[in-house]
Amino acid sequence: MRFSPGRRALCAALPSLWLGGRALAQSRLHLPSPLLRARWLARLSWGPTAGSVQALESLGPAAWLARELAPAPWPPALPSSLPERTLALGTPAMAALLQSTTAQQRLANQQSDPDEKNKQNRAFQDRLTAESRHAQFELIWQGLYGERQVQQQMGWFWFNHFSVHRFKNQLRPMMADYSQQLTALALGRFRDLLGFAVKHPAMLLYLDNQANAVGRINENLARELLELHTLGVDGGYTQADVQAMARVLTGFGVNMTGEVPKLKPEHQATYALDGLMEFHPARHDASPQTLLGKELPGSGRERLEWVLDHLAAHPETARHLCQRLAVYWVGDKPSPALVERLVRRYMLSRGLIAEVMQELLASDELIASLGQQFKTPQQWVMSAMRLLYEDVPIINPMPVLRWMERLGQQPFDRQTPDGYPLEGSAWEAPGQMVTRFELARVLAAPQANLFRPEGSPADPAAPRPPAPAGPTTRCASCGCPQPPRPRAKRC
């Protein structure tokens, strides 16, 4: 699938990837022992595999990291043995899918017979849920069997940063496009990520910007844009800034039908329908606005683009993002010196995330933290699955999602816009530990459900699923693959 915005952003940044700070950070990357390299690899992926260990040892840490951060097509290749699947990726495919589901819902609501109406509405809801399941399955398969593990983790990080909840409105069919496109953009410029997320129909619907119109201001998206997505809660904005931002966002909504509404002559030139995202000038507040002490130029789409440029380049945005990145990759309380270096790299590179990640992943602070972090539920489940089933592609990720749900971190299920906690300390409660011990016992046994489609009956004649890899095939310290020990001969 083509993701031209992400590729364009990364290709435009390619010259800077190999200059200046990149070379300096690579020169500082010192991993003298195999154990340290294995722990570093375990942190930079969902879990080490025999192939990734071999690649790291062959290339060396600096070249391996450069390859991870360099531009590459997305999504990654996956094993051909996985079930065939079709995801609604890209604006035309997603728009066609949503227009189809909207028509299905309209038809269901037109039924006069209550039983038939309920039946068709259930079918409509099942279809929406199935679409989000496909998106979840793809995340699991990519994490277990795909390359570009740093980019995959950053894709999850950005989805969590621009968090939406799939069960609000008709967001479920949008999850594949939203999550995969965020991952495609994950190592490019933050400005591209910000523009994509804020104008995506999933975000517009989730934070109720559909209801934001001149004379009827809804501040939800404006507040989260300043507090969570850019400046941070201590970023220096005021309630007046939130209201100004809300007015900038008036008129931006979602059109599920693909039909252009009736417009007055003065609005016809400025109306825009881009896939599902609609700008309706009759609903837009074009009055003069001041944001963060600056008078805003233009109006409508031009004004929003100017504001997003300004927010992405703001030092407080750099500080907020770099603090969160350091917490996710290094630990709950990263050193101020590390955060300042990341902020400096962000500002010098004009928000190029690959540059910030080079500084972060090669830092002494990250190396010193290896083996010290407490894994989030998603990290714990994914690393266990890569440990146990790296060579045997699973065809049914549904049990994996259920395990994540039991631990409280299933993809796309965070109801509040702040995303799941990044801090390991948020996941250390006694109940969490008890559940992890229970799931560890489950994972230690062969899981037949992983190798048959969801809902299909067990076949007694079917081959038994392979047993998970035993503990003797992995390093006890970090989980890296180890050659099996020779068995003693029996008399």
Side-chain angles (χ1 to χ4, degrees):
M1 190 70 202
R2 296 181 63 189
F3 295 102
S4 55
R7 282 205 290 271
R8 284 200 303 269
L10 286 172
C11 291
L14 183 58
S16 68
L17 292 178
W18 307 101
L19 300 174
R22 168 65 60 101
L24 179 61
Q26 286 180 350
S27 68
R28 291 201 309 265
L29 185 54
H30 185 55
L31 302 169
S33 70
L35 176 60
L36 196 59
R37 290 193 293 275
R39 285 181 171 174
W40 185 71
L41 178 61
R43 182 63 196 91
L44 270 60
S45 64
W46 290 122
T49 64
S52 62
V53 169
Q54 182 180 7
L56 176 61
E57 293 299 325
S58 174
L59 294 172
W64 184 89
L65 180 57
R67 187 184 69 172
E68 285 287 303
L69 298 179
W74 187 265
L78 294 177
S80 58
S81 58
L82 294 178
E84 291 186 9
R85 55 211 183 276
T86 302
L87 299 177
L89 303 181
T91 298
M94 184 181 62
L97 174 61
L98 266 294
Q99 288 162 12
S100 173
T101 58
T102 300
Q104 182 180 358
Q105 182 185 34
R106 188 185 303 118
L107 181 62
N109 289 333
Q110 290 173 350
Q111 301 302 311
S112 57
D113 180 63
D115 292 337
E116 183 62 24
K117 183 175 182 178
N118 290 335
K119 177 182 177 181
Q120 292 196 22
N121 272 316
R122 282 196 301 271
F124 164 71
Q125 293 295 333
D126 289 345
R127 182 182 179 188
L128 297 188
T129 299
E131 292 295 336
S132 68
R133 284 284 185 235
H134 296 160
Q136 290 175 316
F137 285 7
E138 196 70 9
L139 285 184
I140 300 298
W141 281 322
Q142 288 174 352
L144 294 182
Y145 308 114
E147 300 292 334
R148 307 282 295 181
Q149 290 276 300
V150 171
Q151 185 170 354
Q152 290 195 45
Q153 289 201 63
M154 286 303 295
W156 180 89
F157 175 89
W158 290 122
F159 186 99
N160 198 57
H161 185 78
F162 298 108
S163 183
V164 299
H165 182 228
R166 64 183 172 127
F167 281 109
K168 184 168 183 177
N169 295 326
Q170 287 198 45
L171 265 65
R172 280 166 282 175
M174 303 180 189
M175 290 299 94
D177 182 78
Y178 189 61
S179 61
Q180 292 294 317
Q181 297 245 32
L182 281 173
T183 307
L185 295 164
L187 295 173
R189 296 199 185 278
F190 177 70
R191 171 62 178 87
D192 296 310
L193 282 157
L194 180 64
F196 169 78
V198 168
K199 293 180 288 185
H200 195 278
M203 183 65 73
L204 293 169
L205 287 175
Y206 174 61
L207 290 178
D208 305 310
N209 211 67
Q210 186 82 344
N212 186 20
V214 60
R216 239 179 22 256
I217 298 298
N218 185 299
E219 298 178 0
N220 287 0
L221 178 54
R223 186 175 303 280
E224 307 309 349
L225 174 58
L226 298 179
E227 178 179 329
L228 298 178
H229 303 159
T230 57
L231 303 175
V233 68
D234 299 319
Y237 65 90
T238 66
Q239 175 60 21
D241 292 319
V242 173
Q243 293 173 345
M245 188 71 245
R247 291 186 172 91
V248 171
L249 289 164
T250 52
F252 289 89
V254 179
N255 183 333
M256 296 278 199
T257 66
E259 301 173 359
V260 176
K262 293 182 179 180
L263 299 165
K264 294 181 178 180
E266 62 267 28
H267 294 149
Q268 291 176 0
T270 52
Y271 175 84
L273 181 59
D274 182 6
L276 297 173
M277 192 281 289
E278 176 183 64
F279 174 70
H280 200 312
R283 297 170 55 83
H284 178 66
D285 187 342
S287 63
Q289 301 295 328
T290 300
L291 180 70
L292 301 175
K294 296 182 180 293
E295 294 184 4
L296 303 184
S299 65
R301 289 180 291 164
E302 177 189 358
R303 179 178 287 180
L304 177 60
E305 295 302 323
W306 189 94
V307 168
L308 295 180
D309 287 345
H310 183 66
L311 290 174
H314 200 286
E316 290 301 327
T317 295
R319 191 169 309 282
H320 177 58
L321 296 177
C322 292
Q323 175 71 26
R324 287 177 59 81
L325 284 167
V327 168
Y328 178 74
W329 287 98
V330 175
D332 292 8
K333 296 180 180 179
S335 72
L338 172 63
V339 175
E340 286 302 318
R341 294 203 310 274
L342 299 181
V343 170
R344 188 160 53 249
R345 184 65 72 87
Y346 180 98
M347 298 301 291
L348 288 173
S349 67
R350 294 184 296 121
L352 182 58
I353 302 303
E355 285 281 350
V356 178
M357 294 304 296
Q358 174 66 58
E359 180 72 35
L360 176 57
L361 300 182
S363 68
D364 293 338
E365 290 87 347
L366 181 132
I367 294 171
S369 75
L370 297 176
Q372 306 300 313
Q373 277 187 297
F374 189 84
K375 291 183 178 181
T376 66
Q378 189 171 23
Q379 291 169 334
W380 187 82
V381 172
M382 291 297 290
S383 60
M385 290 300 297
R386 274 173 68 89
L387 172 72
L388 298 171
Y389 296 105
E390 63 171 284
D391 297 324
V392 188
I394 64 173
I395 66 169
N396 178 20
M398 195 63 217
V400 182
L401 292 174
R402 291 196 185 103
W403 299 330
M404 290 181 179
E405 183 179 25
R406 284 190 62 188
L407 293 169
Q409 201 183 23
Q410 187 173 192
F412 316 151
D413 272 11
R414 179 72 170 183
Q415 294 188 22
T416 52
D418 54 348
Y420 289 113
L422 299 178
E423 296 82 2
S425 58
W427 305 100
E428 294 178 348
Q432 175 81 198
M433 299 305 299
V434 169
T435 304
R436 291 194 187 197
F437 280 119
E438 292 173 353
L439 291 179
R441 287 195 290 269
V442 172
L443 287 165
Q447 295 296 311
N449 288 343
L450 295 171
F451 299 95
R452 60 172 179 256
E454 181 69 13
S456 62
D459 182 1
R464 292 179 61 84
T472 56
T473 65
R474 295 279 175 162
C475 168
S477 299
C478 65
C480 67
Q482 299 289 309
R485 296 177 182 176
R487 295 184 179 181
K489 294 182 178 180
R490 297 177 64 89
C491 298

